[in-house]
């Protein structure tokens, strides 16, 4: 297989096997409405096989970052419609990463609302808010009834993303945010049907993905997971427990026929990821995580060895809107300016040069 060859993920037809990894850039202001700059940013990257948007909140209390976009209000839907139209006009494909921030937020970020999680356990660390850095608060442990509201909010968000013209959604079950908090034993000590056993910890993710697939069609739904990531105090130290939890999850998702499973793990070709891929039974999107930046060589090798169907690429896509052309032609790459990842404005966002203008 060739990184630059087309591929079909469920209902999504991709021109190549490079995906833009979801990348939070915090440029949607207080309203959470993607504006001109965000439209331009995604449109510039339309030659990537599949754009996965930055994590986007499905209800107000789930907002994790200042300037993060949402998919709650009519204005937010209208903003995303402009993004989708601009990407489609350039022949691209775009799905929305729907992200509930869970306990990784603060009232000074989410508009003074509750901070919620599976259990009342705070992250040991500080949140960056509109009023500076503050310790993460002890979250409200969602009641069983409120957990069902989360399922409803994901479903609505997916419907609104499709209404806005996006090609589908990716459910964010990774990186220590709400769904991952349910999966990980360190953040979930519930004693109802959503906690305790591996099957119970997997239950919310199964329900969310199933509800979203019912609402918009499984062929346009992906799921991102990051087992063993060990981030934001969502810890999964026991490999047997990880296999039991994610195995239970994927066994139940398998019959749905989702578009793809995206896995962030330091060893995409290793035993765990390949076992989870077998259990899932559908296309795998791989990403080796934050410790080293994805390289052309790594992406080519993963596809050539058939260890993945698609490679999600993060920081190189920030710095190279035309990354696919550069990689295909073995051209040099721009270096990402990391201090501007979360800065406001066009600098470090829409001003990276392309090889050929026009
Ligand atoms: C600035 C930045 C923002 C990110 N935002 C998200 C996000 O919103 N959702 C998500 O699942 N991962 C997010 N990630 C993780 C990336 O999707 C990706 O897994 C990571 O950058 C490693 O891939 P790379 O080496 O190709 O950059 C982010 C990473 C960076 C650097």
């Amino acid at each position: 297989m060739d990184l630059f060859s087309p591929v079909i993920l469920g209902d999504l037809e991709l021109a190549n096997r490079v995906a833009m990894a979801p990348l939070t850039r915090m440029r949607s202001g207080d309203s959470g409405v993607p504006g001109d700059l965000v439209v331009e940013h995604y449109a510039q990257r339309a030659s990537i096989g599949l754009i996965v948007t930055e994590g986007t909140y499905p209800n107000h209390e789930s907002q994790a970052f200042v300037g993060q976009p949402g998919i709650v209000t009519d204005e937010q839907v209208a903003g995303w419609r402009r993004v989708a139209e601009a990407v489609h006009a350039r022949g691209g494909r775009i799905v929305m990463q729907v992200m509930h921030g869970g306990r990784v937020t603060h009232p000074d970020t989410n508009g003074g609302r509750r901070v919620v999680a599976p259990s009342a356990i705070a992250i040991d660390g500080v949140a960056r808010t509109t009023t500076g850095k503050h310790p993460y608060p002890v979250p409200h442990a969602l009641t069983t009834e409120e957990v069902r509201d989360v399922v409803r909010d994901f479903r609505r968000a997916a419907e609104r993303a499709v209404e806005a013209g996006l090609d589908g959604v990716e459910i964010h079950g990774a990186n220590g945010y709400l769904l991952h908090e349910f999966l990980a034993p360190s953040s979930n000590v519930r004693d109802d049907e959503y906690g305790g056993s591996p099957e119970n910890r997997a239950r919310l993710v199964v329900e969310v993905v199933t509800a979203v697939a019912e609402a918009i069609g499984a062929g346009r739904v992906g799921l991102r997971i990051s087992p063993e990531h060990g981030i934001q105090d969502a810890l999964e130290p026991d490999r047997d427990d990880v296999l039991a939890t994610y195995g239970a999850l994927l066994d139940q998702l398998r019959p749905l026929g989702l578009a793809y499973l995206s896995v962030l793990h330091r060893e995409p070709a290793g035993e765990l990821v390949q076992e989870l891929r077998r259990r899932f039974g559908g296309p795998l999107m791989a990403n080796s995580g934050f410790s080293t930046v994805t390289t052309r060589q790594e992406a080519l090798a993963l596809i050539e060895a058939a260890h993945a169907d698609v490679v999600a690429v993060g920081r190189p896509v920030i710095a190279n809107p035309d990354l696919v052309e550069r990689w295909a032609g073995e051209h040099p790459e721009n270096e990402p300016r990391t201090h501007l990842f979360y800065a406001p404005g066009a600098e470090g966002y829409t001003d990276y040069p392309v090889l050929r203008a026009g």
Side-chain angles (χ1 to χ4, degrees):
M1 279 195 291
D2 171 7
L3 185 62
F4 306 106
S5 66
V7 62
I8 293 178
L9 308 179
D11 295 346
L12 309 169
E13 293 184 24
L14 279 47
N16 56 69
R17 293 164 186 269
V18 181
M20 175 176 176
L23 293 158
T24 289
R25 304 302 303 279
M26 296 165 40
R27 281 164 169 89
S28 295
D30 291 343
S31 63
V33 176
D36 291 349
L37 205 56
V38 179
V39 172
E40 186 183 351
H41 170 75
Y42 284 113
Q44 285 174 341
R45 287 160 179 78
S47 62
I48 312 278
L50 180 67
I51 294 173
V52 183
T53 72
E54 61 208 279
T56 301
Y57 54 84
N59 61 34
H60 288 291
E61 70 186 9
S62 66
Q63 179 179 357
F65 312 113
V66 176
Q68 184 185 3
I71 186 70
V72 186
T73 68
D74 291 345
E75 293 74 21
Q76 290 167 347
V77 172
W80 282 114
R81 185 170 296 121
R82 294 180 58 223
V83 173
E85 282 171 4
V87 169
H88 290 154
R90 295 205 190 178
R93 295 275 181 281
I94 180 166
V95 297
M96 173 180 291
Q97 188 184 53
V98 183
M99 165 181 163
H100 190 307
R103 64 179 179 169
V104 191
T105 189
H106 189 279
D108 289 353
T109 296
N110 73 6
R113 296 178 173 88
R114 302 185 306 179
V115 173
V116 305
S119 302
I121 306 169
I123 297 177
D124 182 11
V126 290
R128 289 178 181 75
T129 77
T130 45
T131 56
K133 290 183 186 173
H134 300 298
Y136 282 110
V138 176
H140 163 72
L142 291 166
T143 65
T144 307
E145 204 43 48
E146 288 166 347
V147 174
R148 302 202 173 109
D149 294 343
V150 169
V151 177
R152 178 202 63 202
D153 290 347
F154 267 98
R155 183 191 178 111
R156 266 194 207 151
E159 286 168 346
R160 304 211 92 188
V162 168
E163 181 193 325
L166 283 95
D167 298 299
V169 301
E170 173 178 293
I171 302 302
H172 195 347
N175 300 353
Y177 299 103
L178 186 78
L179 297 185
H180 197 184
E181 289 161 15
F182 271 84
L183 291 166
S186 69
S187 42
N188 181 350
V189 296
R190 300 175 68 90
D191 55 16
D192 66 357
E193 67 259 40
Y194 294 100
S197 67
E199 289 76 13
N200 280 359
R201 278 181 275 124
R203 189 179 312 280
L204 175 60
V205 188
V206 172
E207 290 184 358
V208 165
V209 175
T210 304
V212 167
E214 266 172 25
I216 67 166
R220 26 187 189 177
V221 179
L223 168 68
R224 189 173 218 205
I225 55 174
S226 62
E228 299 182 338
H229 195 178
I231 194 170
Q232 307 191 125
D233 291 358
L235 309 178
E236 298 161 310
D238 178 353
R239 175 61 71 94
D240 290 339
D241 183 75
V242 168
L243 270 172
T245 307
Y246 288 85
L249 168 66
L250 298 171
D251 289 347
Q252 291 174 85
L253 297 187
R254 186 187 184 105
L256 297 179
L258 298 178
Y260 66 90
L261 176 70
S262 171
V263 184
L264 184 159
H265 190 276
R266 63 187 173 283
E267 293 175 333
E271 230 172 85
L272 176 68
V273 177
Q274 295 302 316
E275 168 63 14
L276 296 180
R277 181 191 197 183
R278 276 189 290 278
R279 299 283 280 266
F280 174 64
L284 175 72
M285 181 185 291
N287 179 273
S288 56
F290 290 83
S291 58
T292 56
V293 177
T294 306
T295 62
R296 176 180 184 274
Q297 232 20 64
E298 180 193 348
L300 283 172
L302 278 170
I303 297 297
E304 270 163 26
H307 286 133
D309 300 286
V310 175
V311 180
V313 185
R315 288 158 291 187
V317 177
I318 290 180
N320 299 275
D322 54 351
L323 188 76
V324 173
E325 290 87 338
R326 286 176 193 256
W327 277 5
E330 294 187 61
H331 299 292
E333 292 173 39
N334 304 317
E335 286 302 316
R337 286 167 282 163
T338 56
H339 63 290
L340 296 171
F341 279 178
Y342 306 118
E347 200 190 348
Y349 189 55
T350 48
D351 64 350
Y352 285 101
V354 293
L355 287 172
R356 282 171 293 129

